[in-house]
Amino acid sequence: MADSVVYQKKIKRKKSLYSRIKESRKCQNILTVVLPILFGLLIFVLWQTKVLHAMMHTDTFTLPVPTRIAKLFGENMSDVLANMRSTVLVAFIGLIAGSIIGYLVAVIASIFPNMGKGGLNIIGAFASIPVIALAPVMNNWTRNISPDANTRSTVAKILVVMLIAAADMCLNAYRGLTELKPYSEDLMKTYAASGFTIFVKLRLPNSVPYIFTALKVSVPASIMTAIVSEYFAEYIIGVGREIRENIVLSQYSIAWVYISAACIIGIVSYIILMIIQSVALKRYH
C-alpha cells in the first residue's frame, strides 16, 4: 500500500522547467535562433569594448573594433560588392558544375559497381588535396586558354572549386543511390520493374536527402575554396585576393572588411540552402 502511494506521488510530480523546455519542440526551435543571436551579441560587446583585445593580447590596429570595420565597409561599398560578385560567381559556377559531375559519377558507379568503385576512389582523392597545392597547378594548366588574364584566372578558380564540390557530391550521392530501405529493391523486382523504373522510382528519390547533405558541406567548402584559390590567381580580383593584398600591405582594417564580406557570403549562402532544403524535403519530414 505504501509503495503504491509513493508511486502515485511520483506520477503527480510536475516536470521541471528544464525538462518541459527540453521536451517542447516549439521552445527548441526558438532556442536555435535565440541562443546564437545572444552569443553573437556577447562577442560583439566584448569586441567593441576591447575586452576581447585584452583577452587575446592584441590591439585595435591588428583587430579593429566592429564599428570601425562597418564604417570602412560602407566607405568602400562599391569595391567590396565588385569583389564579392567575383567570388560568388566562381563559387556558384564551380559548385553547380562539380555537383552535377559528382552526381553523374555516383549514378555510373551505382549502375556499374565493379568499375564505379574505382571512379569513386579517384574522385574521392581530390577531396584530400589541399587547395593551396591545387590552385597554382590549375593556374599553370589554364595559362593558354585565353589571352585575357581575367578569363584565365576565372577558369582556373572554377576548376578548383568544381573538383572539391564534385568529390563531396559523389561520395554522398552514391550512398543515397545504393543504401536503400531493406527489401525495397526486391519488392520492386517482384513487380517486374525494370532497372530504369527502379532508378527513377526508388534510387533517385532516396538520394535527394543525401544531395542536400553533400551541399551542406560543399556550399561553405566551395566559398572557402574560391577565396583561397584567389590568393594564387593571376588576375587581382575577389575577396580572397583583397584579404591577401591588404594583409601584405599591413592594411588590417581593410582586410577585416573583406573578411566580413566572406562571412556574409557564407552565411547568406547557407541560409538560402536551408530554405531550399526545407521546401524540397518537405515530403520527407
Side-chain angles (χ1 to χ4, degrees):
M1 184 69 178
D3 293 339
S4 64
V5 172
V6 173
Y7 181 71
Q8 290 177 359
K9 287 182 178 179
K10 287 183 178 180
I11 293 177
K12 294 179 180 179
R13 184 182 298 169
K14 292 184 178 180
K15 294 181 180 180
S16 64
L17 179 62
Y18 174 77
S19 299
R20 282 182 287 175
I21 292 175
K22 189 176 181 181
E23 294 174 2
S24 174
R25 188 173 181 179
K26 186 177 181 180
C27 290
Q28 291 299 318
N29 291 335
I30 294 173
L31 289 175
T32 55
V33 177
V34 173
L35 291 180
I37 291 175
L38 292 177
F39 180 74
L41 289 174
L42 175 63
I43 296 297
F44 177 83
V45 171
L46 294 176
W47 191 349
Q48 184 65 34
T49 56
K50 302 179 184 178
V51 175
L52 199 62
H53 295 76
M55 294 170 59
M56 300 177 65
H57 304 287
T58 186
D59 51 40
T60 54
F61 177 74
T62 307
L63 182 63
V65 294
T67 51
R68 169 68 174 164
I69 297 173
K71 181 181 178 181
L72 291 173
F73 198 107
E75 292 175 353
N76 299 272
M77 181 68 72
S78 59
D79 293 336
V80 174
L81 291 178
N83 286 283
M84 288 176 69
R85 280 194 297 269
S86 176
T87 300
V88 170
L89 181 67
V90 169
F92 181 76
I93 296 176
L95 173 66
I96 297 300
S99 297
I100 293 173
I101 293 172
Y103 192 84
L104 291 176
V105 172
V107 170
I108 295 171
S110 65
I111 297 174
F112 307 103
N114 294 330
M115 295 185 297
K117 288 184 179 179
L120 287 175
N121 293 331
I122 293 172
I123 198 169
F126 285 108
S128 61
I129 300 177
V131 178
I132 58 174
L134 192 59
V137 173
M138 287 299 176
N139 288 334
N140 290 328
W141 283 356
T142 58
R143 66 179 182 271
N144 296 323
I145 284 180
S146 171
D148 181 33
N150 185 22
T151 302
R152 295 195 302 266
S153 179
T154 302
V155 171
K157 291 183 287 187
I158 289 174
L159 288 175
V160 177
V161 176
M162 184 183 70
L163 290 174
I164 301 300
D168 293 331
M169 178 58 69
C170 180
L171 298 176
N172 282 278
Y174 180 76
R175 288 186 57 197
L177 292 166
T178 55
E179 294 182 3
L180 306 174
K181 293 181 180 180
Y183 308 111
S184 57
E185 187 174 5
D186 295 334
L187 178 61
M188 293 198 72
K189 287 181 179 179
T190 59
Y191 292 148
S194 63
F196 179 76
T197 303
I198 292 174
F199 175 79
V200 174
K201 299 291 186 180
L202 181 61
R203 295 186 184 276
L204 185 60
N206 191 72
S207 69
V208 174
Y210 291 86
I211 291 174
F212 283 98
T213 300
L215 289 175
K216 287 180 183 178
V217 177
S218 57
V219 165
S222 297
I223 296 168
M224 288 304 302
T225 301
I227 291 172
V228 174
S229 63
E230 288 169 349
Y231 287 13
F232 309 95
E234 181 181 1
Y235 194 74
I236 304 176
I237 191 171
V239 173
R241 190 56 182 253
E242 290 297 329
I243 293 172
R244 176 179 178 271
E245 294 296 321
N246 283 286
I247 288 177
V248 169
L249 298 173
S250 298
Q251 296 179 350
Y252 295 108
S253 298
I254 302 297
W256 273 101
V257 169
Y258 285 98
I259 292 172
S260 302
C263 294
I264 292 171
I265 294 172
I267 293 170
V268 172
S269 300
Y270 198 78
I271 290 173
I272 293 172
L273 175 63
M274 290 296 99
I275 294 172
I276 296 173
Q277 176 182 324
S278 64
V279 175
L281 297 186
K282 193 173 182 180
R283 56 171 295 191
Y284 289 89
H285 295 294

